[in-house]
Amino acid sequence: MAFEIERVTLRRLRMPLVHFFETSFGRTYSRDIILVEVSSGGLSGWGEVTCGENPFYNEEWTDGAWLILRDYVLPRILHHPLDSAASAGARTKHIRGHLMARGGVEAAIWDLEARRNGVPLWKQIGAGARREIPCGVSIGIQDTVDDLLVKIDTELRAGYQRIKIKIKPGWDIDTIREVRRRFPETLLMADANSAYTLADADRLAALDEFNLMMIEQPLAHDEIIDHAELQARLRTPICLDECIRSAHHAGQALRIKAGRIINIKLGRVGGFSEARAVHDVAQRHGIPVWCGGMLEAGIGRAHNIALASLVNFTLPGDVSASKRYWKRDIIRPEVEVTARGTIVLHDEPGFGYEIDHEFLDSVTVQRESFN
Ligand code: OSB
Ligand code: MG
């Protein structure tokens, strides 16, 4: 049944991380996160814009996302009849890029649609292939290898099924050798966030001996041809993250064998419709996917959990417990991980958790409603 978005509220939250998170492109101590609330017929759907505070992972950043939403996305969404959440993405297709900003709105509309139908979001997107999502953790670059080993040990004791560590030139071969010496059997992978070039192929091939599950996005954020060349020289599977922004990209990358695994991030591809399409392309190629993370607060985290219950999300993802990021999350209950290293799906309508409005208000630094 068609519906119309009558009001959109944007909120900008400021939430300090419990521990800094360092990647090859820099260190984050605190997150600035935009939440999108779309309202229609007395119901609200919620989405999270997953871009960083700086345009370093991709070109998007919080300040820019606010402006794109205000000036370009929301005018196309408000008071326009929508047949379904699946048709929402097309309303902003004329905007080049800015997929995380657009994806935050698209995801909110899916959440709204699920609530209108009284079903959990995972059901609304056609997922629910498993009741429990297998979970891994992403561990940033630390000040010392000892710090890293302690962190890995803590996460394994908590039950997480696989460990991803961030790497960059100088924090790679020797670091991974130490990790492997201490944890010979652990499912282990490394994420370079585009820190290398094809000239580093020998250095990356030296990682083959450590039996990594995969190396994530070793080369440029916008590059697939070099990844194909590198993959041909590595035994370790390459997992593509930054360079896959659409199902079309995924199809091209898999056709030229640029990687053997895809990390799907809801925001990076512009929302649930495209995430599902990327998932389907990978499945047709016999390529497994897993759900990436962007240090989300509770709402983005809950959306990731729904997404990760699609059938081809067969590998443990980067979706983990709220308490790894936040002293207190904006949802109740917080996202928790079982001793088996899984997150159990919730059955409530929409994204499946309550918003802790009092706490949300206390971390909101900017708010604007549009109607
Ligand atoms: O490349 O997967 C990435 C965080 C910010 C930006 C990029 C990435 C990440 C992570 C963290 O690896 C995943 C998470 O725990 O949310
Ligand atoms: Mg990554």
Side-chain angles (χ1 to χ4, degrees), residues 109-362:
I109 294 173
W110 277 98
D111 183 49
L112 174 66
E113 183 163 67
R115 288 166 198 265
R116 284 168 50 83
N117 293 330
V119 300
L121 180 58
W122 55 261
K123 190 165 232 166
Q124 188 64 48
I125 64 167
R130 60 190 69 78
R131 289 291 311 170
E132 295 185 22
I133 308 306
C135 303
V137 291
S138 175
I139 303 181
I141 294 165
Q142 306 296 317
D143 288 332
T144 68
V145 175
D146 279 343
D147 288 354
L148 177 62
L149 296 176
V150 168
K151 284 219 164 313
I152 293 172
D153 189 57
T154 303
E155 305 297 8
L156 290 174
R157 282 174 200 280
Y160 286 103
Q161 298 183 12
R162 73 99 170 96
I163 301 291
K164 160 170 142 181
I165 66 169
K166 293 290 190 177
I167 57 168
K168 65 177 181 181
W171 180 269
D172 46 16
I173 299 173
D174 294 342
T175 308
I176 293 174
R177 181 177 294 113
E178 292 298 309
V179 172
R180 258 299 173 235
R181 197 180 352 240
R182 174 81 185 277
F183 303 100
E185 305 295 335
T186 297
L187 293 181
L188 181 67
M189 58 173 290
D191 185 358
N193 288 108
S194 304
Y196 299 89
T197 71
L198 213 41
D200 301 308
D202 289 342
R203 188 181 186 99
L204 293 165
L207 299 177
D208 274 343
E209 68 170 289
F210 301 118
N211 190 30
L212 301 178
M213 291 176 85
M214 66 195 94
I215 302 175
E216 186 176 341
Q217 196 73 32
L219 309 181
H221 68 98
D222 53 358
E223 173 59 61
I224 60 171
I225 293 172
D226 284 358
H227 277 109
E229 204 167 309
L230 179 64
Q231 181 66 91
R233 294 167 68 176
L234 299 184
R235 256 200 331 270
T236 309
I238 289 176
C239 171
L240 299 173
D241 175 356
E242 281 88 329
C243 65
I244 303 298
R245 290 163 170 252
S246 66
H248 182 69
H249 283 158
Q252 291 183 321
L254 297 180
R255 199 166 82 210
I256 66 169
K257 298 186 166 34
R260 299 191 197 132
I261 299 169
I262 295 178
N263 161 341
I264 298 182
K265 289 181 181 166
L266 187 59
R268 194 193 68 224
V269 302
F272 280 110
S273 292
E274 199 65 26
R276 256 186 354 192
V278 173
H279 162 277
D280 293 351
V281 166
Q283 190 174 22
R284 281 199 291 279
H285 281 81
I287 293 287
V289 302
W290 53 274
C291 187
M294 289 296 293
L295 312 175
E296 287 90 346
I299 291 170
R301 200 162 291 282
H303 285 206
N304 287 342
I305 293 163
L307 181 65
S309 73
L310 283 168
V311 67
N312 194 34
F313 280 80
T314 51
L315 297 171
D318 278 349
V319 184
S320 53
S322 297
K323 69 175 183 200
R324 293 191 60 248
Y325 307 83
W326 318 115
K327 208 163 139 198
R328 182 168 165 187
D329 203 343
I330 57 170
I331 55 167
R332 293 280 130 193
E334 301 198 338
V335 174
E336 281 167 7
V337 167
T338 67
R340 302 178 291 286
T342 63
I343 297 173
V344 179
L345 291 186
H346 287 202
D347 291 330
E348 291 82 359
F351 66 74
Y353 296 77
E354 296 289 329
I355 295 171
D356 181 345
H357 284 281
E358 200 179 301
F359 182 62
L360 173 60
D361 285 348
S362 76

Side-chain angles (χ1 to χ4, degrees), residues 4-8 38-43 77-79 370-371:
E4 240 180 76
I5 307 299
E6 296 148 10
R7 188 178 68 248
V8 180
V38 296
S39 304
S40 174
L43 289 173
I77 293 294
L78 277 161
H79 305 295
F370 304 85
N371 48 36

